[in-house]
Amino acid sequence: RYLSEFLSDPRVVEIPAPVWKPILHGVILRRRPAESARKYASVWTPEGSPLMVNTVRQASLLRGWLGHHGHDVDVAFAMRYGNPSIAEVLRELREQGLQRLLVLPLYPQYAASTTATAIDAVMRELAQWRRQPELRTVRSFHDDEGWLDAIVQRIRAEWTHDGPPDRLLMSFHGVPRRTTLAGDPYHEECLASAALLAKRLGLPPEGWGVSFQSRFGRAEWLQPYTARTLAELGRDGLRRVDVVCPGFVSDCLETLEEIAIEGKETFLASGGGEFRFLPCLNDSPAFVEALGRLALRHLSGW
């Protein structure tokens, strides 16, 4: 059900429905669910999905941070696909007397297939309401000072004992290249985030790089591809490569399985030395504070 909802979103797959639906229902949904299930099983925790666990904690801690700083603000979370759905959570908030709503998509870099589709879902639900709340949205936070500092703090903590690696690879989720040609700012915002992080870390040009993961289908996606880059770094005989994923605020299938497991296997099998995956921000205090300050800026005047 999740894959069907996700891959039926025209923001995610920009192929005309008459062409795409037979492929989706006739091929992909017959094969991909079993493969996805095996991957999810490899990262599942006793508490459940890592993404859900981290998101629940983030919402709870953010509510507490705002309250501690004197702001009586409810914090609810929803998933763009699956449950709890955006429509379901909005209706619950309406029952509680919702008057003002700030929507904060947890995608640091803006893409039509992520931020925009989340906002679309909010708007579709509100379009059915007679009495709508005041509404504000956060477009992106790819250059937010607090968010950048939280990532740098996380990385430096991992480097406390052994120092930086031969190469820090910043792997972002990929999107089809045609989306950039159509005007999507995602690529440039990813590059901007990476450059700002490298500057804060004091890394030389040869000490870091950018790549894009999670390619799907045969079309050209943003390059260089993460898997191919890790294979090349392994063949180059690098002693140690660290990978961080600044496009994800929570560890999930794309980080824990695709990078920490598959990426490591690719690098080592190609002749590389040591591979380290650096965890996402998850429920780190620095990230919770960054989210809080970001929210307060957008709540200003309310």
Side-chain angles (χ1 to χ4, degrees), residues 145-160:
E145 297 284 339
W147 171 74
L148 291 166
D149 289 342
I151 296 179
V152 168
Q153 180 177 316
R154 169 73 89 183
I155 293 173
R156 285 181 173 157
E158 297 289 331
W159 292 353
T160 299

Side-chain angles (χ1 to χ4, degrees), residues 74 167 253-254:
D74 191 15
R167 184 74 54 85
L253 186 70
E254 286 85 355

Side-chain angles (χ1 to χ4, degrees), residues 246-278:
F248 299 87
V249 299
S250 298
D251 279 315
C252 55
L253 186 70
E254 286 85 355
T255 66
L256 298 173
E257 196 279 334
E258 186 176 357
I259 299 300
I261 298 176
E262 288 188 7
K264 179 178 181 179
E265 291 174 353
T266 298
F267 178 69
L268 297 181
S270 300
E274 183 180 1
F275 178 97
R276 293 187 185 179
F277 165 68
L278 307 184

Side-chain angles (χ1 to χ4, degrees), residues 36-294:
S36 294
R38 286 193 296 272
K39 291 183 176 183
Y40 272 106
S42 70
V43 301
W44 211 255
T45 74
E47 298 171 279
S49 158
L51 177 60
M52 178 64 77
V53 171
N54 286 317
T55 304
V56 169
R57 290 174 180 168
Q58 288 165 350
S60 177
L61 290 169
L62 178 56
R63 186 184 303 111
W65 188 94
L66 290 168
H68 179 73
H69 288 78
H71 302 279
D72 184 16
V73 179
D74 191 15
V75 178
F77 75 91
M79 299 295 179
R80 173 58 189 90
Y81 311 102
N83 295 309
S85 70
I86 289 175
E88 173 190 351
V89 172
L90 285 174
R91 290 167 192 168
E92 290 175 357
L93 292 173
R94 180 176 59 184
E95 293 301 313
Q96 298 167 21
L98 176 65
Q99 298 293 320
R100 292 169 171 166
L101 176 66
L102 172 65
V103 182
L104 173 53
L106 291 179
Y107 308 107
Q109 299 80 23
Y110 175 94
S113 57
T114 55
T115 307
T117 192
I119 300 301
D120 286 348
V122 172
M123 299 302 186
R124 276 196 298 272
E125 174 59 28
L126 294 183
Q128 304 175 57
W129 293 17
R130 178 171 294 277
R131 187 170 182 171
Q132 294 181 335
E134 292 184 63
L135 178 66
R136 295 179 182 177
T137 63
V138 178
R139 178 188 178 280
S140 68
F141 50 97
H142 73 283
D143 58 356
D144 178 75
E145 297 284 339
W147 171 74
L148 291 166
D149 289 342
I151 296 179
V152 168
Q153 180 177 316
R154 169 73 89 183
I155 293 173
R156 285 181 173 157
E158 297 289 331
W159 292 353
T160 299
H161 299 295
D162 300 328
D166 296 324
R167 184 74 54 85
L168 174 66
L169 184 63
M170 304 187 205
S171 179
F172 295 85
H173 199 290
V175 295
R177 182 173 178 270
R178 66 175 179 275
T179 63
T180 297
L181 300 177
D184 200 314
Y186 179 73
H187 187 217
E188 61 188 73
E189 291 193 3
C190 289
L191 296 181
S193 295
L196 289 168
L197 288 169
K199 182 178 180 180
R200 276 172 162 72
L201 290 165
L203 297 176
E206 67 277 9
W208 64 283
V210 173
S211 63
F212 297 90
Q213 63 184 86
S214 308
R215 182 186 178 196
F216 177 77
R218 298 180 179 179
E220 180 183 359
W221 282 42
L222 294 181
Q223 296 195 43
Y225 301 136
T226 296
R228 186 179 299 171
T229 299
L230 288 172
E232 292 172 354
L233 294 176
R235 287 192 291 270
D236 289 342
L238 267 67
R239 292 173 299 174
R240 182 179 137 207
V241 166
D242 288 4
V243 181
V244 67
C245 299
F248 299 87
V249 299
S250 298
D251 279 315
C252 55
L253 186 70
E254 286 85 355
T255 66
L256 298 173
E257 196 279 334
E258 186 176 357
I259 299 300
I261 298 176
E262 288 188 7
K264 179 178 181 179
E265 291 174 353
T266 298
F267 178 69
L268 297 181
S270 300
E274 183 180 1
F275 178 97
R276 293 187 185 179
F277 165 68
L278 307 184
C280 291
L281 291 171
N282 298 323
D283 60 354
S284 69
F287 177 52
V288 173
E289 179 173 353
L291 276 182
R293 298 197 182 282
L294 177 65

